[in-house]
Amino acid sequence: MEEKDSFNHLPHKTIARLSQYRRALLLCLSRGKSHIFSHEIATIQHITPVQVRRDLMLIGYSGTLRKGYNIRELIDLIGNIIDSDEGIKVAIVGMGNLGRALINYFSGKRHKLEIVAGFDTNPDKIGNTMNGVPCYPAERMKEIIEREKIEIGIITVPAQNASQTANELVAAGIKGLLNYTPKPIDVPDYVYLEEYDMITTLEKVAFYVKMRQSEEESNKK
Amino acid sequence: MEEKDSFNHLPHKTIARLSQYRRALLLCLSRGKSHIFSHEIATIQHITPVQVRRDLMLIGYSGTLRKGYNIRELIDLIGNIIDSDEGIKVAIVGMGNLGRALINYFSGKRHKLEIVAGFDTNPDKIGNTMNGVPCYPAERMKEIIEREKIEIGIITVPAQNASQTANELVAAGIKGLLNYTPKPIDVPDYVYLEEYDMITTLEKVAFYVKMRQSEEESNKK
DNA sequence: TTTGCCTTGTTATTTAATTAACAAATAAAA
DNA sequence: TTTTATTTGTTAATTAAATAACAAGGCAAA
Ligand SMILES: NC(=O)c1ccc[n+]([C@@H]2O[C@H](COP(=O)([O-])OP(=O)(O)OC[C@H]3O[C@@H](n4cnc5c(N)ncnc54)[C@H](O)[C@@H]3O)[C@@H](O)[C@H]2O)c1
Ligand SMILES: NC(=O)c1ccc[n+]([C@@H]2O[C@H](COP(=O)([O-])OP(=O)(O)OC[C@H]3O[C@@H](n4cnc5c(N)ncnc54)[C@H](O)[C@@H]3O)[C@@H](O)[C@H]2O)c1
């Protein structure tokens, strides 16, 4: 399909923003708003109106000149772009503090994107259910991922087990991975990988705080 | 100071990578390695050796031609750049699932960066201690942040309370904020803000998984 | 000693992302 | 009816980041 192919070349940052626009739009819709201007979206997201218009241009959406964008239409279009028609199932490996927090947080948030299984090695956790998500033994990963047609895995095991878990998930046929472990993992090209490390983020904040302070000091002199 | 001022202009991405290099280097050091090549660091981080060398060039560090970089020296230099001499204290607001997971995770990881206080409004949580971090009532935020000289705040309250919490933290004199709430918050210019939304990340992974599948399908034809 | 092989450090080029600039459209006000 | 204000959509320019290219140094083997 010609149209869908073009979404292939959307900037990564645009994809992330589309997800955020949609959330903001859903909120506006629930408050009874039907149209919205680029500068309104921009204010909510703390970006510029130009950026919003440019993103919408890239996905081929047009607003009305003095009414702005139709919120429902835009939500639907963003859904067509970032959601999968049939929905995508997600598994989470490592039902510890972070894993449980994530399950708790995600459950019911997106109907096209659902955490349907958890895995752990700790016998105390296996067999439990968290917010409707059953916890299976790690040995059954391949079996269950294949059976349930799970395509995305979230890794929240201890760092030293991250690589092994990644390998198991890939072997089970997973297509996308989200690694919350500080250990960088290695996956084949055909698996899409996102890694996020909270300590790095905190250290970055600390760096800029420090930097601004030393700037201030040198300005005083 | 001339030198420190130059760190001002380091690319944001370089700052994030320095934090990651350091972690990898600490691991190597603990295994008895004394020197490391750019391509070794690159392999660990899944980036290119050129990127590593460029980053190190930007911070003004030189290696030895055929021995690579002195690990201890490099760790110290990165520390000089991203750490604050006296250390920076952090507070976390919202001691729920995510807040507790974070405290558990961070505690003892970095001695120059320490979570020293938690805040909540739930009377059941106030007065407890998590991993040595006391939980105070939200009303005492300003008092305690000033007394303890806390400079960074992490927001993990329910989304609808995020803006209010941000305002309270700013009023208390915080200099950097890390918002894990899906609600974008507004802060004055002098406060450094990082926001991270896990649903956006997951939706991004889902998008690329979907995209690659539709590419595959159209390739078959 | 000489040759070849690695590895660093730096400049040049390319690619990605953001921001600026502005024409076109049109509703509302004069 | 004409003017003014506002907002979209798009192209052009700028800025940020990554990658490529390559000179220079120096160890190791021949
Ligand atoms: N807690 C946080 O806020 C936080 C933040 C960022 C990153 N992380 C990272 O996330 C990971 C998990 O953190 P946590 O605080 O939830 O730790 P945790 O110890 O509470 O949970 C880890 C879970 O993984 C299970 N596990 C261990 N090995 C396994 C394996 N091979 N297969 C399946 N399950 C396995 C354990 O039984 C445990 O239930 C760590 O790597 C940590 O670095 C945590
Ligand atoms: N759980 C996750 O994995 C996860 C992931 C990403 C983002 N988030 C976001 O993080 C936030 C917290 O998630 P959670 O799962 O920990 O929720 P939670 O309900 O378990 O915890 C929220 C805590 O904040 C406290 N609180 C409420 N209002 C407060 C206020 N005004 N001041 C201080 N404390 C207050 C509550 O008493 C509670 O203890 C939410 O906004 C959520 O969207 C959570």
Side-chain angles (χ1 to χ4, degrees):
Chain A
M1 201 183 282
E2 208 100 72
E3 230 182 45
K4 280 202 176 172
D5 233 40
S6 73
F7 297 150
N8 223 327
H9 306 296
L10 290 173
H12 284 222
K13 299 264 184 94
T14 294
I15 299 299
R17 280 191 299 264
L18 288 176
S19 157
Q20 285 161 353
Y21 296 161
R22 176 165 66 173
R23 180 170 24 227
L25 292 169
L26 284 165
L27 200 65
C28 293
L29 195 68
S30 76
R31 289 178 181 160
K33 236 171 123 71
S34 75
H35 287 76
I36 193 166
F37 295 125
S38 61
H39 64 81
E40 292 177 296
I41 300 177
T43 302
I44 298 171
Q45 302 295 329
H46 302 121
I47 55 176
T48 65
V50 191
Q51 180 105 77
V52 174
R53 293 204 299 275
R54 211 174 194 301
D55 285 335
L56 299 190
M57 185 195 87
L58 290 173
I59 63 172
Y61 186 67
S62 286
T64 315
L65 198 38
R66 288 185 53 111
K67 276 172 86 181
Y69 304 95
N70 180 308
I71 293 180
R72 186 176 293 282
E73 274 179 24
L74 189 45
I75 288 171
D76 289 346
L77 176 57
I78 294 176
N80 284 343
I81 295 169
I82 67 180
D83 291 337
S84 207
D85 294 341
E86 330 76 51
I88 290 195
K89 293 182 180 177
V90 181
I92 194 155
V93 187
M95 297 274 272
N97 292 305
L98 184 59
R100 289 196 311 266
L102 285 171
I103 285 175
N104 204 51
Y105 173 53
F106 280 123
S107 70
K109 281 266 160 63
R110 290 281 170 276
H111 64 281
K112 293 282 190 185
L113 202 51
E114 204 188 347
I115 300 180
V116 298
F119 296 95
D120 209 297
T121 46
N122 183 339
D124 294 344
K125 299 192 173 157
I126 295 167
N128 294 345
T129 291
M130 254 305 280
N131 256 291
V133 179
C135 178
Y136 300 101
E139 301 89 62
R140 295 183 61 197
M141 216 182 285
K142 192 174 163 65
E143 170 207 337
I144 287 160
I145 285 176
E146 286 175 351
R147 187 184 76 199
E148 301 266 346
K149 298 196 171 39
I150 295 170
E151 299 186 275
I152 293 178
I154 302 178
I155 302 180
T156 53
V157 299
Q160 71 267 20
N161 298 342
S163 311
Q164 192 209 329
T165 294
N167 291 342
E168 289 168 6
L169 283 165
V170 169
I174 225 81
K175 292 300 183 334
L177 273 183
L178 183 39
N179 177 26
Y180 279 116
T181 279
K183 176 92 203 311
I185 59 174
D186 220 346
V187 295
D189 278 351
Y190 62 84
V191 175
Y192 181 85
L193 172 67
E194 282 272 339
E195 308 201 280
Y196 179 78
D197 177 2
M198 300 194 185
I199 288 190
T200 292
T201 309
L202 190 57
E203 289 192 331
K204 205 175 148 192
V205 175
F207 169 80
Y208 285 104
V209 166
K210 169 191 169 184
M211 198 43 88
R212 289 182 182 192
Q213 277 168 351
S214 68
E215 260 173 60
E216 259 175 45
E217 275 169 33
S218 60
N219 281 350
K220 270 184 205 153
K221 286 166 205 167
Chain B
M1 204 183 282
E2 208 100 71
E3 228 182 46
K4 281 203 176 170
D5 232 42
S6 72
F7 297 150
N8 224 326
H9 306 297
L10 290 173
H12 283 222
K13 299 266 184 91
T14 294
I15 300 298
R17 281 191 299 264
L18 287 176
S19 158
Q20 285 162 353
Y21 296 161
R22 177 165 66 172
R23 187 180 6 240
L25 292 169
L26 284 165
L27 201 65
C28 292
L29 194 68
S30 76
R31 287 177 181 160
K33 236 168 124 70
S34 75
H35 287 76
I36 194 166
F37 296 125
S38 61
H39 64 81
E40 292 177 294
I41 300 178
T43 302
I44 298 172
Q45 302 295 328
H46 301 122
I47 54 176
T48 65
V50 191
Q51 179 104 79
V52 174
R53 293 205 298 276
R54 210 172 195 301
D55 286 334
L56 300 190
M57 186 194 85
L58 290 174
I59 63 172
Y61 186 66
S62 286
T64 315
L65 200 38
R66 287 185 54 111
K67 276 173 86 180
Y69 303 94
N70 180 308
I71 294 179
R72 185 176 293 280
E73 274 179 23
L74 189 46
I75 288 171
D76 289 345
L77 176 58
I78 293 176
N80 285 341
I81 295 169
I82 68 180
D83 291 336
S84 207
D85 294 341
E86 331 75 51
I88 290 194
K89 293 182 179 177
V90 181
I92 195 157
V93 187
M95 296 275 272
N97 292 306
L98 184 58
R100 289 196 311 266
L102 284 172
I103 286 176
N104 203 52
Y105 174 53
F106 280 125
S107 71
K109 281 264 160 63
R110 289 279 171 277
H111 64 282
K112 293 283 191 185
L113 203 52
E114 203 188 347
I115 300 181
V116 298
F119 296 96
D120 209 296
T121 45
N122 183 338
D124 294 345
K125 297 191 175 158
I126 295 166
N128 294 346
T129 291
M130 253 306 279
N131 256 291
V133 178
C135 178
Y136 301 102
E139 303 88 63
R140 295 183 63 198
M141 216 182 284
K142 192 172 163 65
E143 169 207 338
I144 286 159
I145 286 176
E146 286 176 352
R147 187 183 76 200
E148 301 265 346
K149 299 196 169 43
I150 295 170
E151 299 186 276
I152 293 178
I154 302 179
I155 302 180
T156 53
V157 299
Q160 71 267 22
N161 298 341
S163 311
Q164 192 208 331
T165 294
N167 292 341
E168 289 169 5
L169 283 166
V170 169
I174 224 82
K175 293 299 184 330
L177 274 182
L178 184 38
N179 178 25
Y180 279 117
T181 279
K183 177 89 202 316
I185 59 172
D186 220 347
V187 295
D189 278 352
Y190 62 85
V191 175
Y192 181 85
L193 173 66
E194 283 272 338
E195 308 200 281
Y196 179 79
D197 178 3
M198 299 192 188
I199 288 188
T200 292
T201 309
L202 190 58
E203 289 191 333
K204 205 175 148 191
V205 175
F207 169 80
Y208 285 106
V209 166
K210 169 193 171 186
M211 197 43 87
R212 288 182 183 192
Q213 276 169 350
S214 68
E215 260 173 61
E216 259 175 48
E217 273 167 35
S218 60
N219 280 350
K220 268 183 207 154
K221 285 166 203 166

